[in-house]
Amino acid sequence: ILLFELTDNMVWSKALKDTTGLKAFYELNKNNYMTTEGVDATVYECNDELTAKKTLEMLTTKKTDVEINDAINTPDKKLNIYSKVYYKGDNDLVDGMNKQIKTSAIISQKGKFYVIQTHKITPPEPKKLNNAKGLVIADYQNKLEADWIKELQQKYKVVVYKDKLDLLLKK
């Protein structure tokens, strides 16, 4: 129980409470927490096929998302527009674009109609601390524990009494 309490104070709780140390550790090791290659894309989620056709037509005439939204969502909300960087597994439809810069044809899935416009491929980059926090904390705890054990080994020399060890091994 004492060892557990001591380890909690020196490693586990310390890693959770020491935000400055955690940030410093992250900055030194952020290349260990990389995203995969991503696709900067806009997904147009349409309630019906006619809305999807209008959306696709407006995209081919280089209308902006604001123009498309204003034209289609009056008076009813028929279109949702989502723009962000998608990583593998975030969106099956974007994954299916095979990292090509283009506008898709109309895709029908689960009663909705989608048009996807990919803008650029983003290279892998370090994840933000908030996105990798669990992994960073675990690695920081491992570092704190290794440092603590090294400190203990330097401070207290281990003495092995071979005759006593042999007695234990014979039993």
Side-chain angles (χ1 to χ4, degrees), residues 24-36:
F25 177 81
Y26 166 77
E27 286 301 323
L28 287 172
N29 298 285
K30 66 181 167 186
N31 288 334
N32 294 340
Y33 312 102
M34 301 291 285
T35 64
T36 58

Side-chain angles (χ1 to χ4, degrees), residues 1 24 27 29 31 70 76 78 104-105 128 130 139 142 147 149 153 159 169:
I1 292 174
E27 286 301 323
N29 298 285
N31 288 334
D70 290 348
D76 299 324
K78 299 176 189 176
S104 74
K128 304 239 183 297
N130 288 346
D139 290 347
N142 290 338
D147 291 350
I149 289 171
Q153 287 172 337
V159 178
L169 293 175

Side-chain angles (χ1 to χ4, degrees), residues 95-108:
D95 288 349
M97 296 289 286
N98 296 321
K99 296 183 182 153
Q100 297 176 9
I101 307 303
K102 66 176 188 174
T103 301
S104 74
I106 297 169
I107 303 166
S108 175

Side-chain angles (χ1 to χ4, degrees), residues 3 5 26 57 64 66 74 97 104 113 118 132 134 137 154:
L3 179 61
E5 284 294 320
Y26 166 77
E57 181 182 315
T64 67
V66 172
T74 306
M97 296 289 286
S104 74
F113 296 85
T118 54
I137 288 172
Q154 288 173 348

